Amino acid sequence: MSRAHVILNVNVLDLGISGAALELSGLPKDTVVSGDYYAEIGRIAERGTLDAYFLADNPAVREDPRLKPGRALEPTTILATVAAATTHLGLIGTLSTTFNDPVELAERLLSLDHLSGGRAAWNAVTTYNPGAGGNFGLTAVPSRAERYSRAHEFVDAVTALWQGAVDGRDIDHRGAHFTISGRLPLGPSPQGHPLIVQAGGSPQGRELAGRTANAVFSAELSLAAGIEHYEQVKQIATGHGRGRDEVAILPGLITIIGSTHAEAVARYERARDQLGPIHELRRLGAVLAHDLVPYYLDEPFPAEVLADLPDPDGFTASLGFRESVVRGIGDRIGATGGRYTLREAIAEFGDGGHRRIIGAPEEVADTIEQWFRAGAADGFNLMPDAFSSGLEIFVDEVVPILRRRGLFRHEYTESTLRARFGSIEERARTAV
């Protein structure tokens, strides 16, 4: 740990991360197409002096709309709305390198950076969802190797276009995937250009993050795994001539908070009762690339599910999520002498590959402090179970605890996201 304060972003996943977020929120389904809804979440986050507003993207139907409406609006449109409703909050949008054009994306995000006064960042990801591929006219999603080959060049091209805006120079990019000559019509934003975030957990994703990213959205379930991943990415960064603090490691943290521990547990159980075990079985099975429905819930967890993938490059889902969950379940099996059941696994890991904390505000603050001080995280991407209540209790009850412990700011002191994240190398490179 070398940063003075923890970084805290809120990851706005439609009505919340919980599969029962619609019921927990008490909001109508069409809320997810309301600009006022997203703007209000931004105002709550800014009231808590959070660092940034983070949006995922998936240009296809992914959730069961009978249970969860899914995020329906395009990310940069939402972020422009949030920018108008806030003055300091960072704006991080996920946009795929698989299904976008680098020139159009560079101009779109630099425009958002100008309009927001230097608060924008791009979460660069590849897309593995076959449904999204079909929407873009593909019969199959490109292989992992193909996606990351394109992603590396895509990020380089966008970065060159942004740096050309700062330097006032044309670029001449000729690569395997893109040929680009010229420059954007925009000049530099107040922070030079948007930051880059990366969310891939595969070896290829970590390499891309260490080489290019200002922040990494990671998925780690245990403190030991968090420390290991933290060091891996920091070492990759230094191997590319960057400082360790040039890339912030920000694991996802699912929060289910009550005023007391018992209240938080009751909130969690209410959501589970709403969904039933089949939902969690299917969600965990999708992460592990194995159909878990035929197995008995109260039998020991089937060892074959955790076996190494025969062809990791052909695996279409997230390797980072799978690695995180396989390690977590393996640890539990070892700790129980092989008596760990499938029912226990879905209760603990049915939310996917991110760490989950169920508890009172003090317990949530304890987890954040432990990971930050142990060198497992520079901060977190917070994933409340449901909006807006899950964010409000964090802002009103967890943030004051972190402030008393000297871990979080009392007010904003920087005007741009780059200054807040403390990217010294980037500030020097983009100074105008």
Side-chain angles (χ1 to χ4, degrees):
M1 180 199 73
S2 58
R3 295 175 183 271
H5 295 147
V6 66
I7 294 171
L8 294 174
N9 305 326
V10 59
N11 187 8
V12 184
L13 293 160
D14 54 81
L15 297 177
I17 185 65
S18 171
L22 179 63
E23 194 270 341
L24 288 174
S25 72
L27 296 171
K29 283 185 179 181
D30 63 1
T31 299
V32 297
V33 294
S34 165
D36 290 342
Y37 167 70
Y38 295 105
E40 179 59 19
I41 293 174
R43 285 188 284 264
I44 295 168
E46 190 159 87
R47 175 160 57 82
T49 63
L50 300 193
D51 287 272
Y53 190 114
F54 188 105
L55 282 178
D57 186 31
N58 195 58
V61 175
R62 186 169 185 174
E63 301 280 358
D64 183 342
R66 293 169 297 181
L67 297 173
K68 208 164 180 270
R71 186 207 46 74
L73 298 177
E74 187 273 330
T76 50
T77 306
I78 296 174
L79 292 178
T81 301
V82 176
T86 57
T87 57
H88 290 84
L89 189 67
L91 309 161
I92 305 175
T94 300
L95 296 167
S96 172
T97 60
T98 308
F99 299 125
N100 277 291
D101 175 83
V103 177
E104 188 278 330
L105 183 146
E107 184 174 16
R108 190 181 352 154
L109 286 173
L110 187 55
S111 296
L112 176 65
D113 208 24
H114 274 273
L115 290 174
S116 65
R119 294 188 277 145
W122 168 38
N123 180 37
V125 299
T126 72
T127 302
Y128 52 78
N129 181 3
N135 283 346
F136 286 85
L138 300 181
T139 56
V141 174
S143 70
R144 187 177 306 276
E146 291 173 316
R147 295 199 314 271
Y148 272 100
S149 172
R150 178 183 169 95
H152 276 272
E153 186 180 338
F154 196 113
V155 172
D156 287 345
V158 169
T159 302
L161 285 162
W162 285 341
Q163 194 59 43
V166 171
D167 299 337
R169 298 175 183 173
D170 289 358
I171 74 161
D172 185 16
H173 175 94
R174 300 180 186 278
H177 302 276
F178 311 107
T179 298
I180 303 169
S181 297
R183 61 177 170 177
L184 300 175
L186 288 166
S189 73
Q191 66 173 355
H193 58 73
L195 275 68
I196 294 177
V197 181
Q198 209 279 328
S202 66
Q204 299 97 322
R206 290 172 182 169
E207 173 64 24
L208 180 61
R211 185 174 70 84
T212 67
N214 301 105
V216 177
F217 185 3
S218 64
E220 305 300 337
L221 292 166
S222 70
L223 184 64
I227 292 171
E228 182 179 308
H229 174 266
Y230 187 95
E231 287 302 318
Q232 284 179 345
V233 177
K234 299 283 186 175
Q235 288 175 16
I236 293 170
T238 59
H240 285 285
R242 306 177 69 200
R244 285 173 62 87
D245 285 348
E246 296 305 319
V247 54
I249 310 301
L250 308 173
L253 182 64
I254 298 171
T255 56
I256 301 146
I257 311 172
S259 295
T260 65
H261 182 85
E263 186 179 298
V265 171
R267 181 179 172 104
Y268 168 64
E269 293 297 342
R270 174 186 165 195
R272 291 196 76 206
D273 290 344
Q274 179 79 12
L275 294 168
I278 291 296
H279 171 82
E280 292 174 318
L281 268 177
R282 288 176 174 159
R283 193 165 187 172
L284 181 58
V287 170
L288 294 171
H290 206 105
D291 182 8
L292 298 177
V293 174
Y295 294 96
Y296 292 105
L297 290 176
D298 294 310
E299 292 290 323
F301 192 92
E304 64 270 21
V305 173
L306 304 182
D308 290 342
L309 294 168
D311 178 18
D313 284 342
F315 180 53
T316 57
S318 168
L319 276 177
F321 276 174
R322 187 179 193 278
E323 179 184 304
S324 176
V325 172
V326 165
R327 179 170 180 166
I329 293 175
D331 288 346
R332 298 297 185 274
I333 292 172
T336 61
R339 295 186 298 277
Y340 191 68
T341 67
L342 179 55
R343 187 184 299 277
E344 291 172 309
I346 64 170
E348 190 169 4
F349 300 101
D351 284 328
H354 292 292
R355 181 172 178 79
R356 181 182 65 204
I357 179 70
I358 305 169
E362 195 83 20
E363 294 173 275
V364 177
D366 288 345
T367 292
I368 290 172
E369 180 172 14
Q370 181 190 30
W371 280 56
F372 182 63
R373 296 200 186 282
D378 294 305
F380 290 92
N381 282 312
L382 304 170
M383 306 166 76
D385 56 348
F387 291 104
S388 58
S389 60
L391 178 60
E392 286 179 312
I393 194 169
F394 186 93
V395 164
D396 293 337
E397 300 193 34
V398 179
V399 166
I401 297 171
L402 296 173
R403 287 171 174 166
R404 288 196 297 270
R405 297 181 185 183
L407 291 169
F408 200 56
R409 69 177 64 83
H410 288 263
E411 60 184 2
Y412 293 109
T413 57
E414 308 89 358
S415 60
T416 68
L417 186 61
R418 188 178 303 282
R420 194 173 310 141
F421 273 30
S423 183
I424 299 168
E425 175 192 57
E426 287 293 316
R427 284 204 302 269
R429 179 147 38 103
T430 60
V432 294

